[in-house]
Amino acid sequence: MPSISMNKTKLNKKFETNVRSDVIVPDFKGDIVNIVCSYATVSANESYLTKDKITISGMVYFTTIYTSDEEKTLSLNHKMPFSHQIEIQNADDVDFSVKAYVKDVKTTFLNSRKVALDALLSLDVLVTEVIDEQLSFSDEEFLLAKTEQITSYCNVINKKEDFCVEYETELADAENLICAYSKVVSKDIKIINNKIILKGTLKINVLYELKNGEIQNKEFLNDYTEVFDVNSIMPDMKTKIDLQIRQTDANILDEEKLSITTFLSAYILSYDEYENDILTDVYSIDYETKTETKTFSYESLIESVLDKFTLSDTFDVSRNGISSIYDVLIYPDVKNCFVHDMSMIVEGEVKTEVIYYNADNVVSNKSKNIPFSYSYKLKNNHENLCSNADVFYDLINISVNALGEIELKITFEVIGDVFECKEKTAITSVSLDKSKPVDKSSIPSITVYFVQKGDTLWDIAKKYHTTIKEISKVNNIDENKILNIGERLIIPKK
């Protein structure tokens, strides 16, 4: 039995939820005098669909850096579970995935022993509707069918793989570890034999206290290789992997050794083109036919975008001065992605937080939300276009100018796709009524027909209850001939 198999995007949307928690300073740590900064990572551990709702649950890992009443730089580590539900209508026969990341972290000083933490999470939900339409035909030997091939761009693999990367290094004269966190600075994928081979580099930032009381920071580069088993994946599929840091766990093993474990999630999306031959018209020479139709919505890939753009800004730190820069935390957030005037437009903002040592060698920070608008001119003109895109930071150049301002130049990578949204009506069921033969009494044995505007051999053959083959044979023309207006054809009665 023939069928139409494809899938289409039912929902591709960002949802937001807040995770809030009050944190009390442990007894063995000093009072809070000044909060330097807070950052967080998130792990979406479970997601499931029940009764038209997607439930997402996981854990948020907070780190807050502060200066104490003893003029020491310390940190608070805290984890908080979360759960969020998203309503989705008509959720039968769907696949879905959820990608979670932290958009923003706010810290409120309550008292010297207590802070309030608030993480704003973005939950990127992709829902695809699976279409598997079985076609019903009876008495096929009496039918003449017209088909059309449609090509749809379908999400064929949608999964998450969790893994960890371990690293050990020497850390001389370390007395106390304040914090450590990891960033993905490069990744490369290779697909072979139903496997994805993922390679890349992590940058690990470590802030710690020396035995003499000074604060020190170091960066380490950690190469990684991971292999995922992914059934049915092929090298010619369009595959995207987004890596998210779930947690960085660091411990000083002894005076000279530092152990770091970075926990990551790999969100794997693979797309492929599906080709379906749909039935667009049908008739019988001898009997009346009854048909049922259905309109299918689908997407065709028009263009893939891989590009870069740069943002520049300055941070005024003249009040306390600056001796050196520790690190920059960057949270890009895409708010809108659309097509206008044959350009893909991506709009959003980047929360940027610079952590630095001031003139007194105290860890300080400055933060700013920087808006951006990126435009990419499409190569070809199409109608009914839609798009999606992700923005990742690629390179950061940091300097301090003559005015004592921190100058940032950040290069971002844009990965996106532009689709043409299409609809096509197909015949899904055909039956013959053999009790109602076609009345051919009014059709002469030979008809002389002059081609009208828009005529095809199919239309003429259907009108006179004959076949394209018969008309072509009598008129000595090719069955695929494009007719000219006014052209004379002989139509034999079948």
Side-chain angles (χ1 to χ4, degrees), residues 397-439:
N397 291 320
I398 313 170
S399 60
V400 179
N401 63 24
L403 299 175
E405 298 173 325
I406 297 174
E407 293 185 343
L408 277 185
K409 187 176 182 181
I410 312 171
T411 301
F412 293 91
E413 186 177 60
V414 181
I415 302 176
D417 294 305
V418 179
F419 308 92
E420 185 175 8
C421 303
K422 298 180 179 180
E423 286 189 345
K424 184 65 69 172
T425 299
I427 296 171
T428 56
S429 176
V430 183
S431 59
L432 289 180
D433 189 348
K434 293 185 178 180
S435 66
K436 295 181 179 179
V438 173
D439 182 10

mmCIF file of all heavy atoms in Angstrom, residues 397-439:
data_model
loop_
_atom_site.group_PDB
_atom_site.id
_atom_site.type_symbol
_atom_site.label_atom_id
_atom_site.label_comp_id
_atom_site.label_asym_id
_atom_site.label_seq_id
_atom_site.Cartn_x
_atom_site.Cartn_y
_atom_site.Cartn_z
ATOM 1 N N ASN A 397 38.306 39.713 21.874
ATOM 2 C CA ASN A 397 39.513 40.522 22.021
ATOM 3 C C ASN A 397 39.259 41.549 23.117
ATOM 4 O O ASN A 397 38.290 42.319 23.051
ATOM 5 C CB ASN A 397 39.873 41.215 20.713
ATOM 6 C CG ASN A 397 40.344 40.240 19.658
ATOM 7 O OD1 ASN A 397 41.073 39.296 19.970
ATOM 8 N ND2 ASN A 397 39.944 40.453 18.416
ATOM 9 N N ILE A 398 40.123 41.564 24.134
ATOM 10 C CA ILE A 398 39.966 42.452 25.283
ATOM 11 C C ILE A 398 41.197 43.334 25.404
ATOM 12 O O ILE A 398 42.329 42.853 25.283
ATOM 13 C CB ILE A 398 39.784 41.661 26.588
ATOM 14 C CG1 ILE A 398 38.753 40.545 26.420
ATOM 15 C CG2 ILE A 398 39.376 42.572 27.729
ATOM 16 C CD1 ILE A 398 38.708 39.587 27.582
ATOM 17 N N SER A 399 40.962 44.613 25.639
ATOM 18 C CA SER A 399 42.085 45.531 25.850
ATOM 19 C C SER A 399 41.636 46.667 26.764
ATOM 20 O O SER A 399 40.438 46.866 26.989
ATOM 21 C CB SER A 399 42.594 46.093 24.521
ATOM 22 O OG SER A 399 41.565 46.806 23.852
ATOM 23 N N VAL A 400 42.613 47.394 27.302
ATOM 24 C CA VAL A 400 42.333 48.562 28.133
ATOM 25 C C VAL A 400 42.913 49.780 27.425
ATOM 26 O O VAL A 400 44.095 49.821 27.089
ATOM 27 C CB VAL A 400 42.964 48.414 29.536
ATOM 28 C CG1 VAL A 400 42.675 49.655 30.380
ATOM 29 C CG2 VAL A 400 42.457 47.162 30.225
ATOM 30 N N ASN A 401 42.053 50.771 27.163
ATOM 31 C CA ASN A 401 42.509 51.939 26.409
ATOM 32 C C ASN A 401 43.144 52.993 27.325
ATOM 33 O O ASN A 401 43.237 52.809 28.550
ATOM 34 C CB ASN A 401 41.363 52.533 25.577
ATOM 35 C CG ASN A 401 40.219 53.060 26.432
ATOM 36 O OD1 ASN A 401 40.399 53.404 27.590
ATOM 37 N ND2 ASN A 401 39.030 53.127 25.837
ATOM 38 N N ALA A 402 43.532 54.104 26.729
ATOM 39 C CA ALA A 402 44.246 55.154 27.467
ATOM 40 C C ALA A 402 43.375 55.815 28.533
ATOM 41 O O ALA A 402 43.892 56.393 29.498
ATOM 42 C CB ALA A 402 44.770 56.202 26.490
ATOM 43 N N LEU A 403 42.051 55.720 28.386
ATOM 44 C CA LEU A 403 41.132 56.304 29.364
ATOM 45 C C LEU A 403 40.853 55.354 30.520
ATOM 46 O O LEU A 403 40.073 55.684 31.419
ATOM 47 C CB LEU A 403 39.823 56.690 28.675
ATOM 48 C CG LEU A 403 39.919 57.726 27.555
ATOM 49 C CD1 LEU A 403 38.556 57.918 26.895
ATOM 50 C CD2 LEU A 403 40.456 59.047 28.094
ATOM 51 N N GLY A 404 41.469 54.181 30.494
ATOM 52 C CA GLY A 404 41.216 53.190 31.540
ATOM 53 C C GLY A 404 39.941 52.405 31.336
ATOM 54 O O GLY A 404 39.456 51.736 32.257
ATOM 55 N N GLU A 405 39.383 52.478 30.134
ATOM 56 C CA GLU A 405 38.171 51.727 29.824
ATOM 57 C C GLU A 405 38.537 50.349 29.256
ATOM 58 O O GLU A 405 39.549 50.186 28.574
ATOM 59 C CB GLU A 405 37.318 52.468 28.789
ATOM 60 C CG GLU A 405 36.828 53.823 29.244
ATOM 61 C CD GLU A 405 36.146 54.571 28.113
ATOM 62 O OE1 GLU A 405 36.591 54.412 26.953
ATOM 63 O OE2 GLU A 405 35.185 55.292 28.388
ATOM 64 N N ILE A 406 37.673 49.386 29.556
ATOM 65 C CA ILE A 406 37.835 48.064 28.968
ATOM 66 C C ILE A 406 37.146 48.053 27.603
ATOM 67 O O ILE A 406 35.960 48.387 27.494
ATOM 68 C CB ILE A 406 37.222 46.970 29.866
ATOM 69 C CG1 ILE A 406 37.935 46.915 31.217
ATOM 70 C CG2 ILE A 406 37.304 45.599 29.188
ATOM 71 C CD1 ILE A 406 37.295 45.968 32.207
ATOM 72 N N GLU A 407 37.899 47.714 26.565
ATOM 73 C CA GLU A 407 37.332 47.618 25.223
ATOM 74 C C GLU A 407 37.151 46.150 24.857
ATOM 75 O O GLU A 407 38.081 45.346 24.986
ATOM 76 C CB GLU A 407 38.242 48.297 24.208
ATOM 77 C CG GLU A 407 38.332 49.806 24.379
ATOM 78 C CD GLU A 407 39.146 50.454 23.268
ATOM 79 O OE1 GLU A 407 39.901 49.735 22.576
ATOM 80 O OE2 GLU A 407 39.030 51.686 23.088
ATOM 81 N N LEU A 408 35.941 45.843 24.410
ATOM 82 C CA LEU A 408 35.605 44.474 24.013
ATOM 83 C C LEU A 408 35.282 44.433 22.531
ATOM 84 O O LEU A 408 34.553 45.286 22.005
ATOM 85 C CB LEU A 408 34.381 43.953 24.777
ATOM 86 C CG LEU A 408 34.565 43.374 26.178
ATOM 87 C CD1 LEU A 408 33.239 42.814 26.650
ATOM 88 C CD2 LEU A 408 35.630 42.306 26.191
ATOM 89 N N LYS A 409 35.801 43.433 21.858
ATOM 90 C CA LYS A 409 35.446 43.154 20.477
ATOM 91 C C LYS A 409 35.123 41.663 20.391
ATOM 92 O O LYS A 409 36.017 40.830 20.542
ATOM 93 C CB LYS A 409 36.573 43.522 19.518
ATOM 94 C CG LYS A 409 36.206 43.421 18.045
ATOM 95 C CD LYS A 409 37.348 43.906 17.164
ATOM 96 C CE LYS A 409 36.960 43.845 15.693
ATOM 97 N NZ LYS A 409 38.076 44.285 14.813
ATOM 98 N N ILE A 410 33.845 41.354 20.188
ATOM 99 C CA ILE A 410 33.377 39.967 20.243
ATOM 100 C C ILE A 410 32.905 39.537 18.861
ATOM 101 O O ILE A 410 32.077 40.222 18.241
ATOM 102 C CB ILE A 410 32.226 39.798 21.255
ATOM 103 C CG1 ILE A 410 32.579 40.466 22.584
ATOM 104 C CG2 ILE A 410 31.911 38.323 21.464
ATOM 105 C CD1 ILE A 410 31.417 40.533 23.549
ATOM 106 N N THR A 411 33.424 38.428 18.383
ATOM 107 C CA THR A 411 32.982 37.847 17.107
ATOM 108 C C THR A 411 32.018 36.701 17.384
ATOM 109 O O THR A 411 32.314 35.808 18.184
ATOM 110 C CB THR A 411 34.185 37.328 16.294
ATOM 111 O OG1 THR A 411 35.085 38.404 16.058
ATOM 112 C CG2 THR A 411 33.725 36.762 14.952
ATOM 113 N N PHE A 412 30.862 36.767 16.719
ATOM 114 C CA PHE A 412 29.820 35.748 16.893
ATOM 115 C C PHE A 412 29.655 34.946 15.601
ATOM 116 O O PHE A 412 29.841 35.469 14.498
ATOM 117 C CB PHE A 412 28.484 36.395 17.249
ATOM 118 C CG PHE A 412 28.471 37.045 18.602
ATOM 119 C CD1 PHE A 412 28.814 38.379 18.737
ATOM 120 C CD2 PHE A 412 28.139 36.328 19.735
ATOM 121 C CE1 PHE A 412 28.815 38.989 19.977
ATOM 122 C CE2 PHE A 412 28.135 36.927 20.974
ATOM 123 C CZ PHE A 412 28.476 38.258 21.102
ATOM 124 N N GLU A 413 29.288 33.709 15.767
ATOM 125 C CA GLU A 413 28.982 32.833 14.635
ATOM 126 C C GLU A 413 27.476 32.649 14.541
ATOM 127 O O GLU A 413 26.818 32.380 15.555
ATOM 128 C CB GLU A 413 29.673 31.479 14.810
ATOM 129 C CG GLU A 413 29.517 30.552 13.614
ATOM 130 C CD GLU A 413 30.282 29.254 13.788
ATOM 131 O OE1 GLU A 413 29.993 28.523 14.756
ATOM 132 O OE2 GLU A 413 31.178 28.971 12.965
ATOM 133 N N VAL A 414 26.937 32.802 13.332
ATOM 134 C CA VAL A 414 25.513 32.617 13.076
ATOM 135 C C VAL A 414 25.319 31.330 12.269
ATOM 136 O O VAL A 414 25.920 31.161 11.203
ATOM 137 C CB VAL A 414 24.916 33.809 12.297
ATOM 138 C CG1 VAL A 414 23.418 33.597 12.058
ATOM 139 C CG2 VAL A 414 25.148 35.106 13.044
ATOM 140 N N ILE A 415 24.495 30.432 12.806
ATOM 141 C CA ILE A 415 24.150 29.200 12.094
ATOM 142 C C ILE A 415 22.633 29.171 11.937
ATOM 143 O O ILE A 415 21.903 29.163 12.935
ATOM 144 C CB ILE A 415 24.635 27.951 12.858
ATOM 145 C CG1 ILE A 415 26.153 27.999 13.068
ATOM 146 C CG2 ILE A 415 24.250 26.680 12.112
ATOM 147 C CD1 ILE A 415 26.692 26.865 13.898
ATOM 148 N N GLY A 416 22.159 29.204 10.687
ATOM 149 C CA GLY A 416 20.718 29.273 10.472
ATOM 150 C C GLY A 416 20.281 28.593 9.192
ATOM 151 O O GLY A 416 21.102 28.205 8.351
ATOM 152 N N ASP A 417 18.978 28.457 9.047
ATOM 153 C CA ASP A 417 18.369 27.883 7.858
ATOM 154 C C ASP A 417 17.159 28.716 7.461
ATOM 155 O O ASP A 417 16.448 29.259 8.320
ATOM 156 C CB ASP A 417 17.913 26.431 8.103
ATOM 157 C CG ASP A 417 19.082 25.490 8.338
ATOM 158 O OD1 ASP A 417 19.972 25.442 7.472
ATOM 159 O OD2 ASP A 417 19.102 24.817 9.380
ATOM 160 N N VAL A 418 16.944 28.807 6.148
ATOM 161 C CA VAL A 418 15.771 29.502 5.602
ATOM 162 C C VAL A 418 14.956 28.482 4.821
ATOM 163 O O VAL A 418 15.488 27.738 3.988
ATOM 164 C CB VAL A 418 16.173 30.672 4.694
ATOM 165 C CG1 VAL A 418 14.938 31.360 4.123
ATOM 166 C CG2 VAL A 418 17.025 31.673 5.474
ATOM 167 N N PHE A 419 13.657 28.441 5.115
ATOM 168 C CA PHE A 419 12.765 27.466 4.501
ATOM 169 C C PHE A 419 11.666 28.165 3.714
ATOM 170 O O PHE A 419 11.269 29.295 4.035
ATOM 171 C CB PHE A 419 12.095 26.586 5.558
ATOM 172 C CG PHE A 419 13.035 25.945 6.528
ATOM 173 C CD1 PHE A 419 13.345 26.561 7.736
ATOM 174 C CD2 PHE A 419 13.622 24.727 6.239
ATOM 175 C CE1 PHE A 419 14.214 25.975 8.629
ATOM 176 C CE2 PHE A 419 14.487 24.131 7.131
ATOM 177 C CZ PHE A 419 14.780 24.753 8.328
ATOM 178 N N GLU A 420 11.176 27.469 2.702
ATOM 179 C CA GLU A 420 9.950 27.885 2.030
ATOM 180 C C GLU A 420 8.829 27.009 2.555
ATOM 181 O O GLU A 420 8.901 25.778 2.490
ATOM 182 C CB GLU A 420 10.069 27.748 0.515
ATOM 183 C CG GLU A 420 8.840 28.284 -0.220
ATOM 184 C CD GLU A 420 8.999 28.263 -1.730
ATOM 185 O OE1 GLU A 420 9.992 27.690 -2.219
ATOM 186 O OE2 GLU A 420 8.111 28.815 -2.424
ATOM 187 N N CYS A 421 7.804 27.640 3.094
ATOM 188 C CA CYS A 421 6.664 26.908 3.647
ATOM 189 C C CYS A 421 5.650 26.668 2.529
ATOM 190 O O CYS A 421 5.157 27.616 1.906
ATOM 191 C CB CYS A 421 6.027 27.693 4.781
ATOM 192 S SG CYS A 421 7.188 28.082 6.113
ATOM 193 N N LYS A 422 5.356 25.388 2.288
ATOM 194 C CA LYS A 422 4.530 25.020 1.146
ATOM 195 C C LYS A 422 3.319 24.204 1.580
ATOM 196 O O LYS A 422 3.295 23.616 2.662
ATOM 197 C CB LYS A 422 5.343 24.206 0.133
ATOM 198 C CG LYS A 422 6.531 24.940 -0.468
ATOM 199 C CD LYS A 422 7.269 24.045 -1.444
ATOM 200 C CE LYS A 422 8.447 24.749 -2.090
ATOM 201 N NZ LYS A 422 9.161 23.867 -3.047
ATOM 202 N N GLU A 423 2.335 24.170 0.690
ATOM 203 C CA GLU A 423 1.173 23.303 0.859
ATOM 204 C C GLU A 423 0.884 22.602 -0.456
ATOM 205 O O GLU A 423 1.071 23.183 -1.533
ATOM 206 C CB GLU A 423 -0.061 24.091 1.297
ATOM 207 C CG GLU A 423 -0.034 24.538 2.741
ATOM 208 C CD GLU A 423 -1.378 25.128 3.181
ATOM 209 O OE1 GLU A 423 -2.208 25.442 2.285
ATOM 210 O OE2 GLU A 423 -1.600 25.263 4.394
ATOM 211 N N LYS A 424 0.453 21.363 -0.371
ATOM 212 C CA LYS A 424 0.104 20.613 -1.576
ATOM 213 C C LYS A 424 -1.080 19.701 -1.247
ATOM 214 O O LYS A 424 -1.075 18.999 -0.238
ATOM 215 C CB LYS A 424 1.295 19.785 -2.056
ATOM 216 C CG LYS A 424 1.056 19.049 -3.369
ATOM 217 C CD LYS A 424 0.866 20.019 -4.536
ATOM 218 C CE LYS A 424 2.146 20.736 -4.884
ATOM 219 N NZ LYS A 424 2.005 21.533 -6.142
ATOM 220 N N THR A 425 -2.089 19.737 -2.128
ATOM 221 C CA THR A 425 -3.254 18.873 -1.963
ATOM 222 C C THR A 425 -3.053 17.594 -2.752
ATOM 223 O O THR A 425 -2.720 17.634 -3.938
ATOM 224 C CB THR A 425 -4.532 19.588 -2.431
ATOM 225 O OG1 THR A 425 -4.728 20.768 -1.640
ATOM 226 C CG2 THR A 425 -5.746 18.681 -2.270
ATOM 227 N N ALA A 426 -3.233 16.476 -2.071
ATOM 228 C CA ALA A 426 -3.018 15.168 -2.693
ATOM 229 C C ALA A 426 -4.262 14.311 -2.541
ATOM 230 O O ALA A 426 -5.039 14.449 -1.589
ATOM 231 C CB ALA A 426 -1.831 14.466 -2.055
ATOM 232 N N ILE A 427 -4.456 13.426 -3.505
ATOM 233 C CA ILE A 427 -5.549 12.452 -3.420
ATOM 234 C C ILE A 427 -5.081 11.311 -2.526
ATOM 235 O O ILE A 427 -4.021 10.716 -2.751
ATOM 236 C CB ILE A 427 -5.933 11.934 -4.815
ATOM 237 C CG1 ILE A 427 -6.483 13.090 -5.670
ATOM 238 C CG2 ILE A 427 -6.951 10.805 -4.733
ATOM 239 C CD1 ILE A 427 -6.683 12.734 -7.126
ATOM 240 N N THR A 428 -5.864 11.006 -1.502
ATOM 241 C CA THR A 428 -5.483 9.965 -0.546
ATOM 242 C C THR A 428 -6.330 8.704 -0.681
ATOM 243 O O THR A 428 -5.962 7.656 -0.151
ATOM 244 C CB THR A 428 -5.614 10.486 0.889
ATOM 245 O OG1 THR A 428 -6.950 10.957 1.111
ATOM 246 C CG2 THR A 428 -4.628 11.634 1.135
ATOM 247 N N SER A 429 -7.456 8.814 -1.386
ATOM 248 C CA SER A 429 -8.317 7.642 -1.542
ATOM 249 C C SER A 429 -9.045 7.727 -2.883
ATOM 250 O O SER A 429 -9.547 8.792 -3.260
ATOM 251 C CB SER A 429 -9.336 7.576 -0.395
ATOM 252 O OG SER A 429 -10.230 6.500 -0.584
ATOM 253 N N VAL A 430 -9.083 6.606 -3.619
ATOM 254 C CA VAL A 430 -9.774 6.535 -4.911
ATOM 255 C C VAL A 430 -10.595 5.238 -4.952
ATOM 256 O O VAL A 430 -10.092 4.171 -4.607
ATOM 257 C CB VAL A 430 -8.786 6.537 -6.094
ATOM 258 C CG1 VAL A 430 -9.547 6.532 -7.417
ATOM 259 C CG2 VAL A 430 -7.853 7.724 -6.023
ATOM 260 N N SER A 431 -11.835 5.370 -5.373
ATOM 261 C CA SER A 431 -12.668 4.180 -5.556
ATOM 262 C C SER A 431 -13.471 4.321 -6.850
ATOM 263 O O SER A 431 -13.797 5.429 -7.284
ATOM 264 C CB SER A 431 -13.609 3.990 -4.359
ATOM 265 O OG SER A 431 -14.445 5.122 -4.191
ATOM 266 N N LEU A 432 -13.760 3.183 -7.480
ATOM 267 C CA LEU A 432 -14.549 3.145 -8.710
ATOM 268 C C LEU A 432 -15.973 2.736 -8.409
ATOM 269 O O LEU A 432 -16.225 1.890 -7.552
ATOM 270 C CB LEU A 432 -13.962 2.129 -9.695
ATOM 271 C CG LEU A 432 -12.630 2.473 -10.369
ATOM 272 C CD1 LEU A 432 -12.232 1.350 -11.303
ATOM 273 C CD2 LEU A 432 -12.731 3.769 -11.135
ATOM 274 N N ASP A 433 -16.906 3.357 -9.113
ATOM 275 C CA ASP A 433 -18.308 2.939 -9.036
ATOM 276 C C ASP A 433 -18.656 2.242 -10.347
ATOM 277 O O ASP A 433 -19.018 2.871 -11.344
ATOM 278 C CB ASP A 433 -19.212 4.156 -8.811
ATOM 279 C CG ASP A 433 -20.656 3.747 -8.516
ATOM 280 O OD1 ASP A 433 -20.979 2.554 -8.709
ATOM 281 O OD2 ASP A 433 -21.429 4.618 -8.087
ATOM 282 N N LYS A 434 -18.524 0.904 -10.353
ATOM 283 C CA LYS A 434 -18.734 0.139 -11.584
ATOM 284 C C LYS A 434 -20.197 0.068 -11.991
ATOM 285 O O LYS A 434 -20.510 -0.384 -13.090
ATOM 286 C CB LYS A 434 -18.154 -1.269 -11.428
ATOM 287 C CG LYS A 434 -16.635 -1.274 -11.318
ATOM 288 C CD LYS A 434 -16.086 -2.690 -11.278
ATOM 289 C CE LYS A 434 -14.557 -2.671 -11.214
ATOM 290 N NZ LYS A 434 -13.988 -4.025 -11.175
ATOM 291 N N SER A 435 -21.049 0.544 -11.094
ATOM 292 C CA SER A 435 -22.474 0.618 -11.472
ATOM 293 C C SER A 435 -22.768 1.871 -12.284
ATOM 294 O O SER A 435 -23.886 2.044 -12.776
ATOM 295 C CB SER A 435 -23.350 0.607 -10.208
ATOM 296 O OG SER A 435 -23.140 1.785 -9.440
ATOM 297 N N LYS A 436 -21.767 2.736 -12.430
ATOM 298 C CA LYS A 436 -21.944 3.981 -13.176
ATOM 299 C C LYS A 436 -20.871 4.083 -14.250
ATOM 300 O O LYS A 436 -19.863 4.775 -14.078
ATOM 301 C CB LYS A 436 -21.885 5.184 -12.245
ATOM 302 C CG LYS A 436 -23.020 5.245 -11.240
ATOM 303 C CD LYS A 436 -22.904 6.492 -10.367
ATOM 304 C CE LYS A 436 -24.045 6.584 -9.365
ATOM 305 N NZ LYS A 436 -23.922 7.788 -8.504
ATOM 306 N N PRO A 437 -21.073 3.411 -15.382
ATOM 307 C CA PRO A 437 -20.100 3.529 -16.482
ATOM 308 C C PRO A 437 -20.163 4.935 -17.093
ATOM 309 O O PRO A 437 -21.186 5.617 -17.036
ATOM 310 C CB PRO A 437 -20.543 2.465 -17.474
ATOM 311 C CG PRO A 437 -21.989 2.241 -17.178
ATOM 312 C CD PRO A 437 -22.181 2.463 -15.716
ATOM 313 N N VAL A 438 -19.031 5.353 -17.661
ATOM 314 C CA VAL A 438 -18.956 6.670 -18.299
ATOM 315 C C VAL A 438 -19.814 6.669 -19.559
ATOM 316 O O VAL A 438 -19.757 5.743 -20.380
ATOM 317 C CB VAL A 438 -17.497 7.013 -18.649
ATOM 318 C CG1 VAL A 438 -17.428 8.295 -19.471
ATOM 319 C CG2 VAL A 438 -16.674 7.160 -17.366
ATOM 320 N N ASP A 439 -20.659 7.690 -19.692
ATOM 321 C CA ASP A 439 -21.511 7.840 -20.879
ATOM 322 C C ASP A 439 -20.685 8.472 -22.002
ATOM 323 O O ASP A 439 -20.352 9.654 -21.958
ATOM 324 C CB ASP A 439 -22.713 8.712 -20.536
ATOM 325 C CG ASP A 439 -23.658 8.865 -21.730
ATOM 326 O OD1 ASP A 439 -23.461 8.149 -22.740
ATOM 327 O OD2 ASP A 439 -24.568 9.700 -21.645
#
